[in-house]
């Protein structure tokens, strides 16, 4: 088993910092400079002093603003609508202003024209967004929190309005944050210093590249630093997690070196891993903000951290122009999560691609499907599959067409050209075309893969094996259902000696193919390594946790043994499995109804013999019978675990599933809840075993069969 496996959990990490709506809003407000404008002071900038009071939740700010250009007689400044304005001065004199809906409008009169302007602004506000402390039913941890000051820590999103931002221009910011002793403040930009003065902790930062905002985090951090060949790496962890610092520093340094080599120079002054006081997984320019529990998960330094660091190039380095959809998650997933598998082995990479195809079939295809160009940010499993998985797969297909060298060269050129600018999918595709991608193919690709939803459904027809002068001839037709896709599909003929491969260009309904082989053919396999994005047939998909998440009309049968478990625990559990509307019924009700429903989840092993039989209906998986539920013949250790979860095909309904969540009888309600909330993190697994909330057993049933594999031996 490889050291790090792909875990579904990482994809639950939310990047609300890149929230597209806020970006679109801001984009609309940024006015282009007009000719004839008057330039003011050459020392343009914002000097900002901020005091944080963690006990009262109050932020006090004093900004000295020296704009570089004066437009007309008004100056608009954005601040959080909850801020109170205490004093505004223009060149040391009071000035007319109005503050409405987060917009502070100063009437400069004639003062602005032809002279240096200095504005002094004093403001304050109290911020106490409630923060989520549990992940049980939150599909998007961190989402919704934009500004909060608590005794545990401080968090402001980049565009939450905690600092004055001019509507018409961005200024370099010199920032001084004063907080109670021991509270360090972190933002994007360049760290000048953390010092103590007059019983306060002072953090000073220089922020020259504002991008989409300036986030702020503060807490009782221990700050550690590692020098690398390129930029320094920091950690800001709470004392309880300080021992993890070294692992994160080393991993960050490795990831930075990798992407500098692959994409080009890292675009920021340093990289920091910052601990958050509530569950989150934000990726900010030059730092990532991870919740305490997330930091402690063993796979984060290799998987999630790498993903966030790749975002420093894609999303926070090259920005997204959302007019054609958000490409940054697909590209980041490809160069981080996917490439990590490829570095391990070709088999691991193939497995990753297969899992994306299964996710697509289970969670997105059909009614929930959307075009890739419509993806802006993740809001449910379907948008996640499209925006991360399908997008990533499209890049993989382009790479197959271009070859490695041209593909990576194109991305490098794309990065160089678009750093700190907002780019579209087509801007990226133009870079691929510069590296030899056919213009017509790009056009077709854009239409069928970006603008349209869906995926090809392939099958084999008329496969014939006949003796020939060279030995054997295998002929056939690769066909597809409507709507037709243009795809290049690899075929592999296996024989008694060696394999032969060819690639066919499928365009329209069907394409014929012929293999000549000196050896007796044994098997024909369409796209054996899964390089083509397509809709899998149901028999290619073993039932998994994601089958439960994608199941229509799920019915939950509460076992009589678990009748004492409160309703809201079961509701929380089903909601975490993307089934907030699941029907919950008792065993007695189930006796009458279960045969009609094709998707069932048993919450607890049923007492009724008839319901138990549904779990033992014939299927290919090697399950034994135990007094308290099924046993795994291949995994006897499962008998020592306190909770088993498994998903099986429904013998009575094609495409239906039966799942079982089976805690030991003596497990108390808290322990049941603790284990139940973990299930959703194992979307790709068919069976799971837990002991005291810790995962001890996991695996996927083998895929039953495929209509794209044809046995020729018989
Ligand atoms: Zn991401």
């Amino acid at each position: 088993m490889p050291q790090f496996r792909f875990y579904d959990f990482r994809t639950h990490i939310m990047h609300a910092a890149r929230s597209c709506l806020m970006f679109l809003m801001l984009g609309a407000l940024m006015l282009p400079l007009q000719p004839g404008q008057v330039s003011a002071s050459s020392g343009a900038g914002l000097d900002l002093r901020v005091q944080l009071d963690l006990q009262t939740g109050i932020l006090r700010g004093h900004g000295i603003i020296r704009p570089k250009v004066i437009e007309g007689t008004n100056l608009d400044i954005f601040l959080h609508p909850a801020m109170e304005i205490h004093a505004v001065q223009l060149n040391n004199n009071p000035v007319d202003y109005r503050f409405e809906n987060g917009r502070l409008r100063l009437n400069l009169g004639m003062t602005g024209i032809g002279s240096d302007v200095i504005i002094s602004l004093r403001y304050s506000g109290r911020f106490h967004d409630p923060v989520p402390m549990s992940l049980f039913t939150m599909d998007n941890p961190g989402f919704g929190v934009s500004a909060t000051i608590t005794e545990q820590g401080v968090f402001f999103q980049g565009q939450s309005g905690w600092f004055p931002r001019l509507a018409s221009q961005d200024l370099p910011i010199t920032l001084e944050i004063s907080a109670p002793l021991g509270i360090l403040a972190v933002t994007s930009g360049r760290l000048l210093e953390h010092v103590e003065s007059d019983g306060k902790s002072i953090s000073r930062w220089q922020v020259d590249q504002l991008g989409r905002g300036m986030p702020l985090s503060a807490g009782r951090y221990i700050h550690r630093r590692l020098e690398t060949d390129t930029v320094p790496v920091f950690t800001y962890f709470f004392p309880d997690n300080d021992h993890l610092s070294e692992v994160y520093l080393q991993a960050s340094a490795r990831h930075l070196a990798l992407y500098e080599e692959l994409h080009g120079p890292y675009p920021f002054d340093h990289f920091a891993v910052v601990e958050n006081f509530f569950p989150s997984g934000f990726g900010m320019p030059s730092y990532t903000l991870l919740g305490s529990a997330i930091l402690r998960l063993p796979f984060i330094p290799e998987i999630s951290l790498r993903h966030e660091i790749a975002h420093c190039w894609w999303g926070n380095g090259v920005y997204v122009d959302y007019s054609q959809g958000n490409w940054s998650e697909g590209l980041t997933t490809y160069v981080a999560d996917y490439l990590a598998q490829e570095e391990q082995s070709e088999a691991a990479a193939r497995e990753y691609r297969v899992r994306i195809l299964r996710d697509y079939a289970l969670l997105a295809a059909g009614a929930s499907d959307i075009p890739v160009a419509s993806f802006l940010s993740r809001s449910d499993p379907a948008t996640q599959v499209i925006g991360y998985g399908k997008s990533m797969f499209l890049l993989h297909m382009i790479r197959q067409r271009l070859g490695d060298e041209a593909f990576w060269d194109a991305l490098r050129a794309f990065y160089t050209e678009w750093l700190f600018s907002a780019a579209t999918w087509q801007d990226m595709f133009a870079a691929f075309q510069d590296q030899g991608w056919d213009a017509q193919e790009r056009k077709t690709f854009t239409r069928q893969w970006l603008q349209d939803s869906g995926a090809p459904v392939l099958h084999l027809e008329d496969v014939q094996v006949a003796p020939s002068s060279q030995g054997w001839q295998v002929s056939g037709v690769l066909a597809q259902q409507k709507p037709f896709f243009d795809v290049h599909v690899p075929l592999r003929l296996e024989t008694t000696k060696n394999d032969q491969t060819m690639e066919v260009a499928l365009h329209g309904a069907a394409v014929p193919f012929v293999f000549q082989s000196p050896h007796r053919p044994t098997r024909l396999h369409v796209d054996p390594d899964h390089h083509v994005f397509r809709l899998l047939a149901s028999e290619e998909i073993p039932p998994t946790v994601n089958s439960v998440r994608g199941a229509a009309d799920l019915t939950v049968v509460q076992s009589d043994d678990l009748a004492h478990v409160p309703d809201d625990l079961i509701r929380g559990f089903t909601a975490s499995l993307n089934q907030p509307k699941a029907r919950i019924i008792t065993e007695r009700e189930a006796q009458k109804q279960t045969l009609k429903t094709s998707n069932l989840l048993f919450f607890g092993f049923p007492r009724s013999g008839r319901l138990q039989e549904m779990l033992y209906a014939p299927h290919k998986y090697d399950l034994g019978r135990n007094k308290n539920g099924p046993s795994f013949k291949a995994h006897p250790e499962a008998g020592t675990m306190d909770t088993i979860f498994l998903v099986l095909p429904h013998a009575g309904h094609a495409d239906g599933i039966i799942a079982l969540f089976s805690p030991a009888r003596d497990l108390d309600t808290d322990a049941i809840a603790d284990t139940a909330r973990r299930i959703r993190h194992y979307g790709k697994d068919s069976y799971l075993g837990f002991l005291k909330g810790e995962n001890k057993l996991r695996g996927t049933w083998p895929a039953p069969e495929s209509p794209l594999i044809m046995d020729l031996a018989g």
Side-chain angles (χ1 to χ4, degrees):
M1 186 173 132
Q3 193 185 359
F4 297 104
R5 294 189 53 184
F6 174 79
Y7 285 74
D8 189 51
F9 186 77
R10 104 124 301 284
T11 53
H12 286 269
I13 288 185
M14 180 63 190
H15 315 293
R18 282 180 289 278
S19 167
C20 52
L21 290 175
M22 298 178 85
F23 175 61
L24 292 175
M25 180 186 81
L26 189 73
L29 296 168
M30 301 290 280
L31 304 172
L33 298 182
Q34 301 298 325
Q37 288 162 330
V38 182
S39 174
S41 160
S42 58
L46 163 63
D47 291 332
L48 181 62
R49 291 177 174 211
V50 167
Q51 289 174 20
L52 298 173
D53 186 334
L54 276 58
Q55 276 184 342
T56 59
I58 290 175
L59 175 151
R60 288 184 188 79
H62 180 201
I64 303 292
I65 305 169
R66 297 183 309 278
K68 52 192 166 196
V69 174
I70 304 300
E71 292 177 59
T73 55
N74 290 327
L75 189 68
D76 284 352
I77 299 172
F78 295 116
L79 262 182
H80 195 289
M83 290 294 186
E84 204 178 311
I85 308 295
H86 299 296
V88 189
Q89 289 189 326
L90 175 65
N91 296 340
N92 291 321
N93 296 310
V95 62
D96 266 3
Y97 69 86
R98 252 172 61 188
F99 184 50
E100 264 177 10
N101 299 325
R103 179 187 289 251
L104 176 68
R105 170 160 288 188
L106 309 190
N107 183 352
L108 302 181
M110 295 309 289
T111 320
I113 308 299
S115 66
D116 288 359
V117 167
I118 296 179
I119 295 149
S120 162
L121 168 61
R122 289 178 191 274
Y123 62 95
S124 70
R126 183 157 176 260
F127 295 91
H128 43 76
D129 277 9
V131 296
M133 283 305 169
S134 154
L135 288 176
F136 199 9
T137 57
M138 293 279 299
D139 217 11
N140 295 321
F143 187 74
V145 181
S146 85
T148 194
I149 301 176
T150 74
E151 292 198 54
Q152 287 71 47
V154 174
F155 170 74
F156 285 92
Q157 281 207 15
Q159 299 175 69
S160 56
W162 67 274
F163 66 96
R165 186 167 190 180
L166 271 56
S168 56
Q169 55 184 280
D170 278 336
L171 299 170
I173 300 173
T174 307
L175 179 64
E176 180 184 298
I177 306 266
S178 162
L181 203 60
I183 303 291
L184 304 185
V186 185
T187 182
S188 51
R190 188 156 52 90
L191 174 65
L192 302 178
E193 59 180 354
H194 295 297
V195 291
E196 290 177 6
S197 164
D198 288 342
K200 297 273 182 193
S201 282
I202 310 289
S203 302
R204 293 196 174 90
W205 293 81
Q206 178 66 36
V207 182
D208 293 330
Q209 189 61 250
L210 205 50
R212 268 169 284 157
M214 181 167 67
L216 179 67
S217 296
R220 201 162 291 284
Y221 292 133
I222 297 172
H223 175 215
R224 300 207 180 271
R225 177 184 179 115
L226 173 72
E227 298 301 328
T228 78
D229 288 345
T230 55
V231 295
V233 181
F234 304 158
T235 53
Y236 289 90
F237 288 177
F238 297 125
D240 281 357
N241 278 339
D242 183 48
H243 63 285
L244 297 172
S245 169
E246 190 58 24
V247 170
Y248 277 88
L249 290 172
Q250 296 292 345
S252 301
R254 244 183 304 118
H255 301 322
L256 286 170
L258 188 145
Y259 292 114
E260 287 223 314
E261 175 80 25
L262 191 65
H263 296 323
Y266 178 72
F268 304 107
D269 166 78
H270 67 276
F271 181 78
V273 186
V274 183
E275 183 168 353
N276 200 4
F277 60 98
F278 63 88
S280 73
F282 295 106
M284 317 290 201
S286 82
Y287 75 97
T288 183
L289 186 63
L290 301 175
S292 306
I294 292 171
L295 272 185
R296 286 192 288 268
L297 295 172
F299 53 89
I300 297 293
E302 287 310 312
I303 304 291
S304 313
L305 178 66
R306 178 170 173 168
H307 181 101
E308 296 308 334
I309 286 178
H311 268 309
C312 291
W313 278 261
W314 309 120
N316 291 327
V318 178
Y319 306 145
V320 177
D321 174 339
Y322 288 86
S323 62
Q324 297 167 14
N326 176 0
W327 49 265
S328 76
E329 293 303 346
L331 180 52
T332 300
T333 302
Y334 193 61
V335 302
D337 309 51
Y338 174 77
L339 219 54
Q341 300 303 310
E342 200 177 278
E343 287 159 13
Q344 278 179 21
S345 69
E346 191 38 58
R350 178 187 188 276
E351 182 62 21
Y352 190 99
R353 296 192 295 270
V354 171
R355 285 171 171 187
I356 286 177
L357 296 180
R358 286 180 185 157
D359 283 354
Y360 174 72
L362 291 172
L363 301 171
S368 313
D369 208 351
I370 57 163
V372 168
S374 303
F375 170 77
L376 299 176
S377 72
R378 183 162 72 83
S379 54
D380 56 24
T383 48
Q384 178 180 326
V385 169
I386 299 299
Y388 291 64
K390 187 179 182 184
S391 295
M392 182 226 91
F393 217 117
L394 301 189
L395 292 162
H396 181 72
M397 288 196 287
I398 294 171
R399 182 175 165 207
Q400 302 311 298
R401 298 292 296 151
L402 282 181
D404 276 7
E405 200 182 323
F407 179 80
W408 296 118
D409 282 355
L411 284 181
R412 185 181 272 271
F414 175 53
Y415 174 68
T416 308
E417 186 178 348
W418 289 92
L419 180 61
F420 297 132
S421 307
T424 63
W425 274 108
Q426 289 310 316
D427 296 325
M428 189 200 307
F429 282 8
F432 290 133
Q433 192 175 331
D434 287 345
Q435 287 293 329
W437 199 23
D438 178 76
Q440 185 55 46
E441 190 174 316
R442 170 183 165 189
K443 224 170 152 184
T444 307
F445 192 97
T446 296
R447 179 185 48 73
Q448 71 187 20
W449 292 120
L450 291 190
Q451 294 164 355
D452 292 346
S453 59
V457 180
L458 307 180
H459 63 276
L460 284 166
E461 286 174 1
D462 296 332
V463 176
Q464 312 271 355
V465 184
S468 74
S469 54
Q470 288 135 306
W472 302 85
Q473 172 176 299
V474 177
S475 62
V477 172
L478 178 66
Q480 64 177 325
Q481 292 176 13
K482 272 186 176 166
F484 300 143
F485 284 72
D486 278 10
V487 274
H488 293 81
V489 185
L491 304 180
R492 184 171 73 202
L493 181 70
E494 296 169 12
T495 73
T496 48
K497 260 253 169 79
N498 44 13
D499 295 349
Q500 281 187 42
T501 55
M502 70 162 74
E503 189 181 86
V504 293
L506 178 58
H507 170 82
V511 59
F513 60 87
V514 179
F515 279 100
Q516 300 288 352
S517 167
H519 311 292
R520 177 185 278 276
T522 54
R523 216 154 68 124
L524 179 65
H525 203 152
V526 178
D527 193 22
D529 292 319
H530 292 286
H531 289 300
V532 178
F533 191 83
R534 65 182 176 90
L535 181 60
L536 298 180
S538 59
E539 59 266 37
E540 292 178 89
I541 306 168
T544 58
V545 171
N546 275 345
S547 310
V548 181
R549 295 172 82 209
D553 299 326
L554 184 75
T555 299
V556 180
V557 181
Q558 183 171 8
S559 150
D560 289 351
D561 285 342
L562 295 183
H564 61 282
V565 171
D567 226 38
D568 57 349
L569 191 161
I570 305 180
R571 288 250 160 260
F573 177 46
T574 57
S576 78
L577 292 173
N578 194 37
Q579 295 285 358
K581 291 184 192 143
R583 219 153 44 97
I584 301 173
I585 59 176
T586 63
E587 281 197 38
R588 176 191 285 272
E589 292 164 317
Q591 309 254 20
K592 300 176 210 146
Q593 300 176 21
T594 42
L595 291 175
K596 280 178 276 172
T597 56
S598 55
N599 293 308
L600 279 176
L601 166 61
F602 285 103
F603 191 84
F605 187 61
R607 228 183 256 172
S608 135
R610 209 179 114 212
L611 295 176
Q612 288 179 6
E613 281 312 309
M614 298 186 74
L615 286 158
Y616 294 125
H619 47 69
K620 293 183 184 149
Y621 313 119
D622 219 10
L623 292 183
R625 285 168 186 252
N626 242 333
K627 199 167 106 243
N628 298 325
S631 65
F632 298 85
K633 288 183 188 161
H635 299 284
E637 72 275 20
T640 64
M641 295 169 198
D642 62 32
T643 305
I644 295 294
F645 185 86
L646 54 85
V647 192
L648 298 166
H650 193 315
H653 292 267
D655 300 350
I657 49 134
I658 296 185
L660 169 67
F661 174 76
S662 180
R665 284 182 189 187
D666 55 356
L667 217 57
D668 64 42
T669 311
D670 285 350
I672 291 174
D674 179 58
T675 303
R677 73 161 61 95
R678 294 166 195 270
I679 303 291
R680 71 187 187 100
H681 298 316
Y682 298 88
K684 278 119 179 139
D685 290 304
S686 301
Y687 53 86
L688 298 163
F690 293 89
L691 183 61
K692 294 191 167 69
E694 206 179 311
N695 178 248
K696 296 285 189 186
L697 169 71
R698 57 185 303 203
T700 309
W701 308 122
E705 51 204 20
S706 165
L708 295 183
I709 302 175
M710 191 162 286
D711 233 320
L712 306 175

